[in-house]
Amino acid sequence: MNKAESERLSSFLEQLDYQPTATVEEANLVVLNSCVVRQSAENRVIGKLHTLKSLKRSRPDLTLAVTGCLVNSDLQALRDRFPYVDYFFKPGEAPQWLAEQDQPPRVLPDKPSPSTFVPIAQGCNNSCSYCIVPHRRGREKSRPVTEILGEVEELARRGAKEVTLLGQNVDSYGHDLPASPDLADLLGELNAVDGIARIRFLTNHPKDMSLKLIEAIARLDKVCEQISLPVQSGDNDILRAMRRGYAVEHYHQLVLKMRSQIPEIALSTDVIVGFPSESESQFQRTLKLLRELRFDTVHVAAYSPRAGTFAAREYEDNIPSDEKKRRLHIVEQLQEKIATEINAELLGRVVEVLVEGSKKGKWQGRTRGGKLVFFGSNCDYLGQLVKVRIEKTSPWSLQGRVEDISATEIRRGKWEEIKL
Ligand code: SF4
């Protein structure tokens, strides 16, 4: 979400004839888009603000603005704490802020990247005990279907091939709109947009994900077989303490349902280790779940209390830091082994890659399942869907060469990975 907002903000500014500078010292305007989802991220933002303070002192003409989650409801407190910052504006309020500067806000970049983000809702109505997001981003607010559809049509017209719909909890999208459309309805509308080849979305919530959505993913040809479904823990007592609103058994059933209806689904999840009072056996239950469900990707974080959350107030952060690190490392090692095995199955196969850019002389892009692929070629493939035969795999990425199979292309349903 933070990255999507930064991209939008740079587009606004470029359309107002601002140019990016190589260093912060050369800039006339610096906008800091803060993420405070973890304490360490918030500390980095504060550190950056202190550095900018001396720059502002030596260059009083510099305009300094701060947005993102740091800008919560108590604006006065922020102004008192950082008096040298010229503007604070809330996430998603860049158009209003620019309008206040007498600049006409325009929303979309002239030439979006082939793969671009589209926020569909802001805020979150859940109350996970460890999470600061609802406190900073407020109640959930969905964007109307027609507004999102218009934006995606316009992005397609300007060259985007793939859109990733963003929300803190995409499964509750639309409940606050007239006629209560849901994510499956929205995907149905977007699937018909000419020029868009792929649609993704994140993040899902196991408590709210519906069977209707699973059916929509299976049915709609442009919706990619990739789901991000954070489980956080494999232990029901920990899940209760986290106030996640589901049990491990429910999570298992959801995954089984998805895999039966969409066999090629790529699944990623998030896990927190070292939550207050997490015992060794509770941690082992998380490992068991990871071994059983075999995710393509696991994002693991060690618990750290966030001031203002229920967990920080009510629970003692009683797992020593070394123990958290040990658990984190065990999850990482387990996942590395699982991802190695899953990705090795793609060796020798041909995958469809949307080329998003290049790195160190190689083109890079992603499969429909979201796997990162590198391949070499002198042709210009930027923004194209290319068939690539996989020649090397690792837990993190795949490498291959362009395969010309258009004449013999076999399509089995919508899945385009072909064993030759
Ligand atoms: S669903 Fe939970 S973890 Fe996710 S943003 Fe909302 S409160 Fe935070």
Side-chain angles (χ1 to χ4, degrees), residues 358-400:
S358 58
K359 202 174 185 180
K360 293 185 185 162
K362 294 209 164 186
W363 290 109
Q364 76 169 58
R366 289 187 186 269
T367 66
R368 285 180 63 106
K371 294 192 189 292
L372 191 59
V373 179
F374 295 94
F375 65 94
S377 171
N378 292 330
C379 303
D380 184 1
Y381 282 119
L382 185 64
Q384 290 190 40
L385 289 163
V386 181
K387 297 278 189 283
V388 176
R389 188 187 290 275
I390 299 304
E391 295 178 315
K392 200 171 166 197
T393 66
S394 82
W396 328 118
S397 65
L398 312 169
Q399 291 191 37

Side-chain angles (χ1 to χ4, degrees), residues 123-134 168-169 203 205 232 243-244:
C124 182
N125 287 1
N126 289 318
S127 48
C128 303
S129 61
Y130 52 83
C131 182
I132 195 75
V133 169
Q168 306 295 346
N169 176 9
T203 298
H205 196 301
Q232 306 300 10
R243 299 182 154 189
R244 290 287 291 171

Side-chain angles (χ1 to χ4, degrees), residues 228-412:
S228 167
L229 192 65
V231 64
Q232 306 300 10
S233 169
D235 180 85
N236 281 337
D237 287 337
I238 294 287
L239 284 177
R240 251 189 303 278
M242 288 178 166
R243 299 182 154 189
R244 290 287 291 171
Y246 55 86
V248 174
E249 294 73 21
H250 173 75
Y251 190 94
H252 262 270
Q253 278 168 8
L254 262 182
V255 172
L256 293 183
K257 187 81 189 165
M258 273 189 274
R259 287 196 166 140
S260 71
Q261 292 212 13
I262 317 157
E264 59 282 4
I265 192 96
L267 275 179
S268 70
T269 198
D270 296 1
V271 164
I272 297 173
V273 295
F275 192 77
S277 303
E278 183 192 56
S279 66
E280 178 60 27
S281 58
Q282 288 174 319
F283 171 60
Q284 288 296 331
R285 280 197 267 282
T286 297
L287 294 180
K288 181 168 174 278
L289 178 130
L290 298 181
R291 268 189 228 105
E292 283 173 2
L293 295 184
R294 293 174 64 79
F295 295 93
D296 291 75
T297 312
V298 174
H299 305 283
V300 55
Y303 172 78
S304 74
R306 296 293 287 111
T309 60
F310 181 86
R313 213 169 39 244
E314 302 293 327
Y315 307 142
E316 188 191 344
D317 180 21
N318 54 3
I319 308 295
S321 146
D322 282 354
E323 177 58 19
K324 286 181 187 167
K325 277 190 204 138
R326 186 188 72 88
R327 293 180 190 182
L328 187 103
H329 188 57
I330 291 174
V331 171
E332 283 173 345
Q333 277 186 318
L334 170 63
Q335 184 53 30
E336 183 173 338
K337 180 173 171 291
I338 292 171
T340 302
E341 291 165 4
I342 291 176
N343 288 353
E345 288 170 18
L346 291 171
L347 198 64
R349 291 176 71 178
V350 174
V351 296
E352 181 199 78
V353 175
L354 174 63
V355 182
E356 295 172 22
S358 58
K359 202 174 185 180
K360 293 185 185 162
K362 294 209 164 186
W363 290 109
Q364 76 169 58
R366 289 187 186 269
T367 66
R368 285 180 63 106
K371 294 192 189 292
L372 191 59
V373 179
F374 295 94
F375 65 94
S377 171
N378 292 330
C379 303
D380 184 1
Y381 282 119
L382 185 64
Q384 290 190 40
L385 289 163
V386 181
K387 297 278 189 283
V388 176
R389 188 187 290 275
I390 299 304
E391 295 178 315
K392 200 171 166 197
T393 66
S394 82
W396 328 118
S397 65
L398 312 169
Q399 291 191 37
R401 64 180 154 81
V402 178
E403 185 81 7
D404 182 11
I405 56 162
S406 51
T408 56
E409 191 172 336
I410 309 156
R411 281 179 182 257
R412 290 179 308 183

Side-chain angles (χ1 to χ4, degrees), residues 5 9 12 67-68 71 75 88-100 105 122:
E5 284 168 358
L9 198 50
F12 296 149
T67 184
V71 186
L75 275 182
F88 291 97
F89 62 95
K90 291 187 179 175
E93 288 185 358
Q96 290 94 310
W97 174 64
L98 291 169
E100 281 165 19
Q122 291 274 355

